[in-house]
Amino acid sequence: EIYTLSLHDALPISIIMVGCGVVVVSVVTTALLSVLQTTLMLGVGSIATMYKERQQDFNRRLSFYRCTHPLTISYRDDYWGDRILDVSDYRAWIRRQQEKKAEAKRNSGRFRINKTT
């Protein structure tokens, strides 16, 4: 004997199957998104930390090499290193700062200000 389902009998089964499918898809999607978010947060956090450390190291190096003698500073200078875009710019900036320090050292005896009281 062959058992056939009528539309009336198949409707509850199809509703249950579709409902289970929706639940499974939503659970899997939520799980994948949470794993992806956690992975990205860990990755982006470490990248941000590395970038911050590199930026602080770069600023320390600029402060170390920067010539702060008042007679060598002008408005045209790249005092803060804003125009440094790559390693060759950085090296050229260091050379200019070293030249300014040498010039300031050579000229330090010439421009002494006498204090009068």
Side-chain angles (χ1 to χ4, degrees), residues 3 13 21 27 29 35 57 86 91 94-95 97-98 111 116:
Y3 182 74
I13 293 173
V27 167
T29 303
V35 167
D57 180 53
D86 56 11
R91 289 178 180 159
I94 289 175
R95 276 193 301 273
Q97 297 302 312
Q98 289 172 341
F111 300 106
T116 58

Side-chain angles (χ1 to χ4, degrees), residues 6-54:
S6 66
L7 184 60
H8 181 67
D9 293 333
L11 193 58
I13 293 173
S14 64
I15 290 174
I16 291 171
M17 288 175 60
V18 169
C20 287
V22 168
V23 169
V24 167
V25 167
S26 64
V27 167
V28 168
T29 303
T30 304
L32 287 175
L33 286 176
S34 65
V35 167
L36 181 64
Q37 181 181 9
T38 304
T39 304
L40 284 176
M41 291 303 285
L42 291 175
V44 169
S46 64
I47 290 171
T49 303
M50 288 173 30
Y51 177 77
K52 184 178 178 184
E53 290 173 358
R54 287 177 59 191

Side-chain angles (χ1 to χ4, degrees), residues 4 10 33 35 62-63 69 75 82 87 91 105-106 111:
T4 60
L33 286 176
V35 167
L62 290 182
S63 295
H69 195 278
Y75 68 93
D82 294 333
V87 176
R91 289 178 180 159
K105 192 173 184 180
R106 282 191 309 268
F111 300 106

Side-chain angles (χ1 to χ4, degrees), residues 59-82:
N59 288 334
R60 273 193 300 268
R61 289 171 187 262
L62 290 182
S63 295
F64 177 76
Y65 287 111
R66 183 178 296 123
C67 180
T68 57
H69 195 278
L71 296 175
T72 62
I73 299 173
S74 70
Y75 68 93
R76 294 177 308 231
D77 290 341
D78 187 15
Y79 182 79
W80 298 106
D82 294 333

